[in-house]
Amino acid sequence: MHAIMYSTRSYEPARYQRLNQGHHSLEMVSDRLTEESAAKAQGFDAVLAFVSDDLSAKVLKILATAGVKLIVCRSAGVDHVDLEAASALGIAVANCPRYSPAAVAEFAVGLLLALDRKIVLAHEQVLEHDFTLEALLGTELHGATVGIVGTGSIGTAFAQILKGFGASLLAYDPVHNPACIALGVTYCDLEPLLAKSDVVSLHAPLLPATWHLINARSLSSMKKGALLINTARGAVVDTAAIIASIEAGHLRGYAADVYEQERGVFFEDYSGKKLDDPLLEKLLNMRQVLLTPHQAFFTENALENMANNVFDNLDAFELEGQKGLCRAN
């Protein structure tokens, strides 16, 4: 197939060329997919898109006119794609659903430990030759109640790790995963989960039903002094409500690898530049917040699996059309 890959990063070309072995005609560009850059897809059969790319109805219409028949998302989530518009335009959409659940789950645990045990603050203090402990008091996961919102492959991997810490596990998900039940996870509604949990970790996809799932009302249901971890999608939480809850002394801390207005900012270097986003600036200046730049997926294993998933989808579409794709629509 003749494919163009947008938002190509420095760590991708060598890997994709090695795995492709010249089978597909692949052009890689660093440009993020936007209304302006979509014209570059003229004459290509497929677009390999990243989570920061714009796949709105307007962009999809340009791609369809250019002859694109397939979009392969280099991600598990497809919330950045207007799936209804893609279907109407006859563009198939595929994703990489299970490239490495462990990568994201392990990172979520890392965020939790760093936030609770104040590891970043401790490092900053030590660099200033301050070896005191007064500001570094944390809690323990052993014996704590941890609520998991979303028990797909990543949420289940997170549950497995927390089980090893000796935590008591609650979960909220419309679908009860037998693997979680086997771990001793107790399913319940969201409100009691929030009320009982010392830690809440978000692993739900971004859907209309989960947009701002964690908001002012749900935050008020959380146990006072609880921690919230988000490696799902930024818009699963209402960021302004998170800030207000921390300022009110209700939520003890928030660690996130995602942000609801991250497109066009995350994955870019803004060193020395002003961020035109007061909400993000507020988050960055709060001691109770730990924010990372959507890196949870970023492991050697995950990148290899993701690239293999991409070529599996291209191969399947070339041989059988939409049959056999990891299809999102």
Side-chain angles (χ1 to χ4, degrees):
M1 291 190 69
H2 196 33
I4 180 171
M5 186 160 87
Y6 283 90
S7 297
T8 304
R9 304 297 168 181
S10 60
Y11 50 81
E12 291 180 301
R15 186 185 312 274
Y16 278 77
Q17 289 164 0
R18 171 174 55 82
L19 293 175
N20 184 34
Q21 295 184 337
H23 180 71
H24 299 281
S25 172
L26 181 59
E27 181 171 329
M28 292 175 272
V29 297
S30 60
D31 308 63
R32 189 169 71 88
L33 177 56
T34 62
E35 287 185 56
E36 291 72 29
S37 65
K40 291 192 173 188
Q42 182 67 45
F44 286 90
D45 304 307
V47 164
L48 311 185
F50 194 50
V51 292
S52 57
D53 288 324
D54 182 356
L55 289 157
S56 61
K58 286 184 178 180
V59 173
L60 291 171
K61 188 173 181 180
I62 298 170
L63 295 180
T65 302
V68 172
K69 304 175 185 66
L70 171 67
I71 291 169
V72 180
C73 296
R74 303 186 331 266
S75 60
V78 292
D79 49 276
H80 56 311
V81 187
D82 188 327
L83 296 176
E84 186 176 338
S87 180
L89 290 164
I91 299 177
V93 180
N95 65 337
C96 300
R98 287 179 56 85
Y99 56 86
S100 186
V104 182
E106 290 173 7
F107 194 82
V109 176
L111 285 178
L112 170 55
L113 291 171
L115 180 69
D116 184 30
R117 301 304 302 272
K118 301 179 175 62
I119 294 172
V120 176
L121 176 59
H123 179 62
E124 291 174 350
Q125 281 192 188
V126 168
L127 290 178
E128 296 296 325
H129 299 175
D130 179 355
F131 300 96
T132 61
L133 300 181
E134 281 75 6
L136 307 178
L137 186 65
T139 61
E140 296 175 15
L141 289 176
H142 182 82
T145 299
V146 176
I148 304 169
V149 179
T151 54
S153 56
I154 296 173
T156 301
F158 181 83
Q160 290 171 333
I161 299 171
L162 267 293
K163 180 72 173 178
F165 275 87
S168 175
L169 303 176
L170 301 178
Y172 168 72
D173 195 309
V175 179
H176 293 190
N177 191 327
C180 282
I181 295 172
L183 288 169
V185 174
T186 300
Y187 279 90
C188 61
D189 290 335
L190 181 61
E191 191 163 332
L193 179 148
L194 296 175
K196 296 176 182 178
S197 297
D198 302 295
V199 174
V200 175
S201 189
L202 305 177
H203 301 284
L206 180 58
L207 304 167
T210 60
W211 183 83
H212 282 190
L213 181 69
I214 304 301
N215 50 45
R217 180 178 176 181
S218 53
L219 284 165
S220 68
S221 298
M222 290 185 69
K223 179 187 288 190
K224 181 177 171 60
L227 299 175
L228 181 63
I229 312 299
N230 185 8
T231 53
R233 284 292 185 265
V236 172
V237 308
D238 180 341
T239 307
I242 296 285
I243 292 172
S245 183
I246 292 173
E247 289 180 331
H250 188 76
L251 187 65
R252 180 159 61 97
Y254 177 58
D257 188 48
V258 288
Y259 171 61
E260 59 182 316
Q261 303 296 334
E262 69 180 54
R263 185 173 295 166
V265 178
F266 280 27
F267 310 112
E268 305 297 334
D269 185 357
Y270 272 76
S271 301
K273 301 177 186 176
K274 180 175 173 57
L275 291 172
D276 188 22
D277 187 336
L279 204 60
L280 180 55
E281 291 277 15
K282 182 76 171 178
L283 279 179
L284 295 174
N285 285 302
M286 298 184 78
R287 277 289 187 183
Q288 305 93 328
V289 172
L290 177 58
L291 189 64
T292 54
H294 207 138
Q295 71 182 86
F297 77 98
F298 197 55
T299 67
E300 181 65 34
N301 288 348
L303 291 177
E304 190 78 1
N305 292 339
M306 185 185 295
N308 277 313
N309 283 176
V310 166
F311 289 119
D312 286 345
N313 278 312
L314 290 178
D315 292 343
F317 193 80
E318 185 178 52
L319 293 172
E320 305 177 82
Q322 294 195 28
K323 183 180 178 181
L325 286 178
C326 292
R327 283 190 290 173
N329 67 340

